[in-house]
């Protein structure tokens, strides 16, 4: 299963809490884009296709979900304000 469920929305359109469920072998960029759609943030990713293990998280913030997903593939992120 591949999904992102939104629990609530803030004024900027970013979810305060989401639940995700991605099957093993899902594409990292596809997962990140699905999560980031709830944040208003953009991502710059320099790398090849990366497949991730299965992941399911419930009621986490989008940035927490990104953190967990990236840690699973030994990566991290830097959040830069405009």
């Amino acid at each position: 299963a591949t999904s992102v469920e939104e629990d609530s929305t803030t004024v900027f359109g970013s979810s305060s809490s989401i639940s995700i469920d991605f099957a093993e072998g899902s594409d990292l960029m596809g997962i990140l884009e699905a999560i980031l759609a709830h944040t208003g943030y953009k991502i710059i990713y320099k790398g090849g296709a990366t497949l991730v293990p299965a992941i399911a998280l419930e009621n986490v913030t989008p940035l927490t979900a990104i953190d967990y997903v990236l840690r699973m593939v030994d990566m991290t992120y830097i959040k830069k304000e405009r």
Side-chain angles (χ1 to χ4, degrees):
T2 302
S3 66
V4 176
E5 296 178 15
E6 184 173 351
D7 292 332
S8 63
T9 304
T10 66
V11 70
F12 296 107
S14 66
S15 302
S16 58
S17 163
I18 62 171
S19 296
I20 65 170
D21 185 13
F22 291 95
E24 182 173 345
S26 295
D27 177 61
L28 175 64
M29 276 309 297
I31 293 172
L32 294 177
E33 288 173 352
I35 296 169
L36 286 168
H38 297 271
T39 66
Y41 291 110
K42 297 182 191 291
I43 190 167
I44 298 171
Y45 174 73
K46 187 175 180 181
T50 302
L51 303 180
V52 299
I55 184 168
L57 299 170
E58 290 190 29
N59 298 320
V60 296
T61 66
L63 292 180
T64 298
I66 289 170
D67 185 49
Y68 276 101
V69 170
L70 290 176
R71 285 175 188 250
M72 291 177 73
V73 292
D74 295 324
M75 294 182 179
T76 190
Y77 71 95
I78 299 171
K79 181 179 155 190
K80 184 176 179 182
E81 300 296 329
R82 292 182 184 193

